[in-house]
């Protein structure tokens, strides 16, 4: 008996499109090819440079200490990870073993 297990799927459970070599969906771009990575790196560099450049105030107190700069870098990293997660969560792709 060779009935399909569900609409569009043969008994093996793999979609028919994979048999024909057709891609079912496209994966999102790798992170190094996105503008959000470039914006993230630029923002991190800007925060660290700003922390190094901003000097002391009239009383000799650092106005932008390293601890605060690293907090901002951490927040930027969290935001970047969330944005990549959201980008990947809506994509449908398969891993065919091809590495570029």
């Amino acid at each position: 008996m060779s009935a399909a297990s569900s609409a569009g799927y043969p008994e093996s459970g793999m979609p028919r499109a994979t048999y024909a070599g057709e891609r079912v969906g496209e994966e999102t771009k790798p992170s190094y090819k996105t503008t959000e990575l470039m914006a993230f790196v630029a923002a991190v560099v800007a925060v660290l440079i700003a922390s190094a450049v901003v000097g002391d105030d009239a009383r000799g107190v650092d106005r932008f200490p390293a601890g605060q700069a690293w907090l901002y870098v951490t927040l930027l990293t969290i935001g970047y990870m969330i944005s990549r997660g959201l980008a990947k969560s809506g994509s449908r792709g398969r891993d065919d073993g091809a590495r570029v």
Side-chain angles (χ1 to χ4, degrees), residues 1 3-4 20 24 40 48 55 59-61 65 67 70 77 86-87 89 92 97:
M1 186 190 249
V24 177
F40 167 70
L48 295 177
R59 294 177 292 164
V61 177
W70 283 109
T77 303
L86 289 173
S89 70
R92 301 179 91 205

Side-chain angles (χ1 to χ4, degrees), residues 36-54:
E36 63 188 13
L37 176 68
M38 292 179 227
F40 167 70
V41 170
V44 167
V45 169
V47 166
L48 295 177
I49 289 174
S51 177
V53 170
V54 171

